[in-house]
Amino acid sequence: FRRVLFRSDEFIDQYFDYVLTVCDSAKEICPIFTNAKNRVHNSFVDPSQDSYESEEAALTIYKNTVDEISKWLDTLTFS
């Protein structure tokens, strides 16, 4: 299993075993990979959508989202 992170339609015609999306806006604005055997989605707080009281608050939100995504990825099993 190899984690590949990208946001580009240059891969639109390639075949993937899995495509993972992690925010609801991904369903709306990211390319649709019709050649993916499996699509797995989980919603997380989109840190760019929050209003921040300070840079420290923004950093905390980003870190929490990264931690939640990492934990979710660790629970996934691929066959």
Side-chain angles (χ1 to χ4, degrees):
F1 169 64
R2 175 179 70 146
R3 291 181 185 174
V4 179
L5 304 174
F6 58 85
R7 186 166 177 252
S8 173
D9 59 0
E10 72 182 88
F11 299 100
I12 205 78
D13 293 326
Q14 292 188 14
Y15 289 91
F16 292 94
D17 290 328
Y18 292 88
V19 170
L20 308 177
T21 56
V22 295
C23 66
D24 290 331
S25 63
K27 291 181 183 178
E28 300 168 14
I29 61 172
C30 290
I32 297 172
F33 292 91
T34 56
N35 296 333
K37 292 179 186 176
N38 302 281
R39 287 181 213 84
V40 181
H41 176 79
N42 196 352
S43 294
F44 295 94
V45 172
D46 183 352
S48 66
Q49 299 299 316
D50 290 335
S51 59
Y52 307 122
E53 298 172 10
S54 65
E55 287 188 30
E56 292 81 19
L59 186 57
T60 298
I61 293 169
Y62 276 91
K63 285 181 177 181
N64 288 343
T65 301
V66 168
D67 288 345
E68 290 176 18
I69 292 171
S70 293
K71 289 175 186 173
W72 174 65
L73 289 173
D74 289 341
T75 66
L76 296 176
T77 56
F78 301 97
S79 52

